[in-house]
């Protein structure tokens, strides 16, 4: 479904991606793990065309999205939903308007139909009846759940999650993980998340890829990666710093 | 070394100029291909048009009164008191009205647009918009662009009218100019091209404010500090563009209407 080949990306003199190649198949639940600042979110943004690589190709259902302009990308992006790290809700719109935004853009004209689908999406993220609230009235966990409702209300084929549990308390984080798992199982979407939260990675994935020093260092079934004895993976998964890390 | 810095700055300037022009072209293309959202347009029209009236009226009134007083003080020396109205009318209609209204709109509306879009950019709301298959130009730029194109000439006309009425009040009731001569000379020497010049300028200035402000907002980087910097840059860039464009428009339109 998504093929990434030899993607490189630099910002100024800093090379973040140094030749990333990976494949993601339809219906998979993939998590990309790696150190903070290692380029995970950058890679995720490449998968949906929010960033263009310096070199390499990214194919979505056979179409190379690296050569497309912004307008052509809009068509491809209809396959995607994305939950941002800070939810990125439109702060001038109510929750209902946020979640229903894309439906209005897609030309769903019946207000009753939009309200029904918004209510259904809010029900799925366990936040019924908050459509009238403004994003500023919501807690961090609620904002993420509304962001998730907005990402799935139009039934995308692929859902991207950028650090879905960052900034949440353990209960709220577990709640988000359960919802992500439920969305994957009930809507049969392809789920791609980036995180450095190992508990979350264990819950929401069936395959893990590790991004290390700008490349995919290792990939495999979740249990295999999380139990790996490879020193780099083992240290990361178990949160063991080395003397070199003390200066970071 | 200074040559290198000048070269780099010149390159950055021309790149930005090219990108602003590209945004203008993309906005016009969007207008041709997509039906703009009426709801967003009316929302912006209210913000730009209705809410800017107090600023524009105050500017017009103050300018008309000062221009009248200054002109009278000079013309009185050569016994041309009754020509004051004509000078105020022509000056307000073709130059001061559109330029000052545009500068006030830059400060009030342009700055707000850049700050709003800049905040959306740094909080990933614009990226969220793109993931929802909405083009930022269609959704954010076009309604603002149209609202400024529609509002700028109306606000300018309002400013000019208020300025002329204020000058009449000052000239006739404070400085003692004969009202009939004041009005007759004003209507005799103010031609339709003077008014048209001001209105054409205001439309161009409206487009400049919209495109420059939206560009600075959409390309904003670096958190709260970045939003502040982008807002300052937008006001400075739009104001300078308006003043420079005004000079060339004056030359071009005067040749067009009076040659």
């Amino acid at each position: 479904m998504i093929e990434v080949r030899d993607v490189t990306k630099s910002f100024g003199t800093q090379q973040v991606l140094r030749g990333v190649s990976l494949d993601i198949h339809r219906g998979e639940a993939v998590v990309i793990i790696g150190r903070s600042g290692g380029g995970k979110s950058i890679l995720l943004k490449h998968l949906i065309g929010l960033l263009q690589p310096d070199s390499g190709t990214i194919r979505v259902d056979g179409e190379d999205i690296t050569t497309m302009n912004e307008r052509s990308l809009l068509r491809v992006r209809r396959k995607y939903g994305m939950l941002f790290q800070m939810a990125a809700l439109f702060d001038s719109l109510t929750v209902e308007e946020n979640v229903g935004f894309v439906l209005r853009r897609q030309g769903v004209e019946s207000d009753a139909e939009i309200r029904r689908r918004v209510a259904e999406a809010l029900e799925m993220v366990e936040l019924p009846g908050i459509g009238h609230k403004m994003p500023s009235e919501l807690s961090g966990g609620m904002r993420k759940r509304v962001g998730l409702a907005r990402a799935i209300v139009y039934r995308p084929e692929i859902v991207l999650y950028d650090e879905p549990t960052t900034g949440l308390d353990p209960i709220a984080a577990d709640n988000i993980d359960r919802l992500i798992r439920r969305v994957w199982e009930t809507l049969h979407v392809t789920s791609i998340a980036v995180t450095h939260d190992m508990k979350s990675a264990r819950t929401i994935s069936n395959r893990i890829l590790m991004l290390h020093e700008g490349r995919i260092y290792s990939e495999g079934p979740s249990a295999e990666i999380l139990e790996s004895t490879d020193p780099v993976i083992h240290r990361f998964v178990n949160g063991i710093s080395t003397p070199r890390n003390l200066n970071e | 070394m200074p040559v290198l810095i000048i070269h780099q700055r010149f390159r950055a300037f021309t790149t930005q100029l090219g990108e602003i022009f590209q945004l203008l072209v993309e906005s016009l293309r969007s207008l041709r291909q997509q039906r703009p959202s009426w709801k967003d347009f009316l929302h912006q029209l209210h913000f730009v048009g209705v809410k800017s009236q107090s600023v524009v009226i105050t500017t017009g009134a103050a300018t008309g009164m000062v221009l009248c007083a200054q002109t009278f003080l000079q013309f009185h020396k050569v016994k041309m008191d009754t020509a004051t109205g004509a000078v105020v009318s022509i000056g307000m209609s073709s130059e001061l009205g559109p330029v000052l209204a545009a500068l006030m709109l830059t400060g009030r509306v342009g700055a707000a647009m850049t700050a709003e879009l800049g905040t959306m950019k740094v909080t990933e709301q614009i990226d969220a918009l793109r993931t929802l298959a909405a083009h930022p130009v269609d959704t954010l730029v076009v309604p603002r662009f149209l609202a400024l194109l529609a509002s700028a000439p109306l606000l300018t006309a309002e400013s000019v009218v208020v300025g002329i009425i204020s000058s009449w009040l000052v000239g006739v009731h404070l400085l003692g100019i004969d009202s009939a001569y004041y009005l007759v000379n004003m209507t005799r020497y103010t031609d339709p091209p003077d008014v048209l010049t001001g209105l054409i300028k205001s439309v161009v200035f409206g487009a400049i404010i919209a495109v420059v402000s939206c560009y600075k907002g959409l390309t904003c980087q670096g958190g709260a500090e970045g939003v502040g910097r982008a807002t300052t840059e937008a006001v400075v860039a739009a104001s300078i563009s308006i003043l420079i464009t005004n000079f060339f428009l004056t030359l071009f339109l005067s040749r067009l209407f009076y040659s």
Side-chain angles (χ1 to χ4, degrees):
Chain A
M1 185 169 209
I2 300 177
E3 297 169 29
V4 179
R5 292 290 174 268
D6 303 319
V7 163
T8 65
K9 182 72 177 178
S10 299
F11 294 95
T13 54
Q14 190 191 2
Q15 191 168 21
V16 183
L17 304 179
R18 300 163 187 260
V20 172
S21 295
L22 57 90
D23 289 294
I24 294 167
H25 307 288
R26 195 174 296 276
E28 273 195 304
V30 174
V31 163
I32 301 166
I33 60 171
R35 300 279 314 272
S36 295
K40 302 186 298 293
S41 297
I42 300 290
L43 175 58
L44 199 71
K45 287 184 177 178
H46 276 83
L47 299 184
I48 192 171
L50 291 179
L51 290 173
Q52 292 291 352
D54 297 336
S55 66
T57 58
I58 299 167
R59 292 183 179 279
V60 178
D61 287 336
E63 283 186 287
D64 185 359
I65 63 168
T66 57
T67 54
M68 290 183 180
N69 62 25
E70 187 70 18
R71 286 210 182 272
S72 310
L73 277 168
L74 297 182
R75 179 177 50 77
V76 177
R77 289 192 191 127
R78 293 206 174 98
K79 296 177 183 176
Y80 287 88
M82 183 164 176
L83 172 60
F84 285 81
Q85 196 169 340
M86 304 307 290
L89 300 180
F90 305 129
D91 47 24
S92 58
L93 304 182
T94 63
V95 166
E96 185 175 303
E97 287 168 337
N98 261 284
V99 179
F101 178 88
V102 72
L103 300 175
R104 288 197 170 81
R105 290 284 308 172
Q106 285 177 352
V108 178
E109 288 186 359
S110 157
D111 279 349
E113 171 67 5
I114 290 172
R115 271 199 300 275
R116 187 188 67 74
R117 288 174 66 177
V118 168
E120 194 179 275
L122 288 174
E123 189 79 45
M124 184 149 197
V125 298
E126 299 170 357
L127 285 175
I130 63 150
H132 62 284
K133 292 201 173 193
M134 297 302 288
S136 56
E137 298 174 72
L138 307 177
S139 68
M142 288 167 86
R143 289 170 72 92
K144 293 226 177 174
R145 281 146 70 188
V146 172
L148 181 56
R150 186 178 67 180
I152 59 171
V153 70
Y154 52 101
R155 297 288 187 268
E157 296 170 43
I158 309 162
V159 184
L160 308 180
Y161 304 92
D162 186 6
E163 307 275 12
T165 57
T166 296
L168 300 181
D169 66 70
I171 305 289
D174 185 60
N175 200 1
I176 289 287
D177 287 342
R178 274 191 313 102
L179 289 172
I180 292 172
R181 188 87 196 175
R182 189 199 293 173
V183 165
W184 177 63
E185 284 169 354
T186 57
L187 302 183
H188 308 293
V189 296
T190 305
S191 176
I192 307 167
V194 303
T195 186
H196 47 232
D197 177 348
M198 289 305 105
K199 183 174 176 293
S200 175
R202 192 185 296 273
T203 311
I204 65 177
S205 68
N206 57 15
R207 187 160 70 99
I208 292 179
L209 296 92
M210 181 165 179
L211 188 67
H212 181 66
E213 295 182 343
R215 293 187 181 85
I216 298 297
Y217 179 78
S218 182
E219 62 175 297
S222 305
E224 195 178 289
I225 294 290
L226 294 171
E227 304 302 327
S228 172
T229 53
D230 179 283
V232 172
I233 302 173
H234 180 75
R235 274 204 303 272
F236 179 77
V237 169
N238 295 288
I240 303 165
S241 66
T242 63
R244 197 166 65 99
N245 299 134
L246 290 176
N247 296 327
E248 293 178 11
Chain B
M1 207 60 170
V3 175
L4 190 68
I5 292 170
I6 291 169
H7 175 252
Q8 281 174 345
R9 290 201 175 163
F10 181 73
R11 221 172 78 163
F13 171 74
T14 49
T15 305
Q16 274 198 10
L17 210 60
E19 286 173 352
I20 290 172
F21 186 70
Q22 237 174 0
L23 182 61
L24 174 67
V25 171
E26 189 63 46
S27 304
L28 296 174
R29 188 180 296 154
S30 168
L31 272 171
R32 198 162 54 90
Q33 292 173 349
Q34 313 264 329
R35 202 177 57 179
S37 157
W38 274 103
K39 191 183 162 201
D40 291 343
F41 169 64
L42 290 175
H43 175 75
Q44 290 301 326
L45 198 62
H46 179 254
F47 172 68
V48 176
V50 180
K51 291 192 167 181
S52 298
Q53 291 196 62
S54 55
V55 171
V56 167
I57 286 172
T58 309
T59 308
T63 311
M65 288 191 287
V66 169
L67 187 60
C68 175
Q70 284 291 354
T71 309
F72 172 81
L73 291 175
Q74 303 308 315
F75 278 16
H76 185 64
K77 294 172 190 169
V78 288
K79 310 283 184 226
M80 284 178 64
D81 304 5
T82 54
T84 301
V87 172
V88 171
S89 169
I90 294 169
M92 283 299 293
S93 303
S94 61
E95 291 295 335
L96 290 171
V99 171
L100 292 178
L103 292 177
M104 296 312 286
L105 282 177
T106 303
R108 204 198 86 78
V109 175
M113 284 181 178
T114 305
E116 188 182 2
L117 298 190
T119 306
M120 287 184 75
K121 176 81 192 320
V122 300
T123 54
E124 293 188 311
Q125 290 179 54
I126 289 180
D127 277 347
L129 202 65
R130 293 166 71 200
T131 64
L132 296 170
H135 199 300
V137 171
D138 303 344
T139 323
L140 301 172
V141 179
V142 167
R144 287 166 174 77
F145 182 73
L146 286 179
L148 265 159
L149 284 193
S151 303
L154 293 174
L155 290 168
T156 299
E158 190 176 22
S159 173
V160 170
V161 169
V162 170
I164 290 172
I165 292 171
S166 309
S167 76
W168 177 81
L169 286 172
V170 170
V172 173
H173 295 287
L174 201 68
L175 304 172
I177 306 171
D178 186 277
S179 177
Y181 282 116
Y182 191 95
L183 294 173
V184 164
N185 280 339
M186 184 191 291
T187 49
R188 179 185 293 166
Y189 292 108
T190 309
D191 296 326
D194 295 321
V195 178
L196 204 56
T197 296
L199 294 178
I200 291 171
K201 281 180 175 181
S202 67
V203 174
V204 176
F205 296 159
I208 289 173
I209 297 167
V211 176
V212 171
S213 305
C214 290
Y215 170 78
K216 287 290 181 184
L218 292 174
T219 54
C220 170
Q221 283 181 331
E225 190 189 351
V227 175
R229 192 169 47 241
T231 307
T232 308
E233 284 175 5
V235 172
V236 172
S239 302
I240 290 174
S241 305
I242 285 165
L243 294 173
I244 294 172
T245 310
N246 181 52
F247 171 71
F248 290 106
L249 277 176
T250 300
L251 290 185
F252 173 73
L253 293 173
S254 58
R255 285 195 172 210
L256 187 71
F257 291 133
Y258 293 107
S259 63

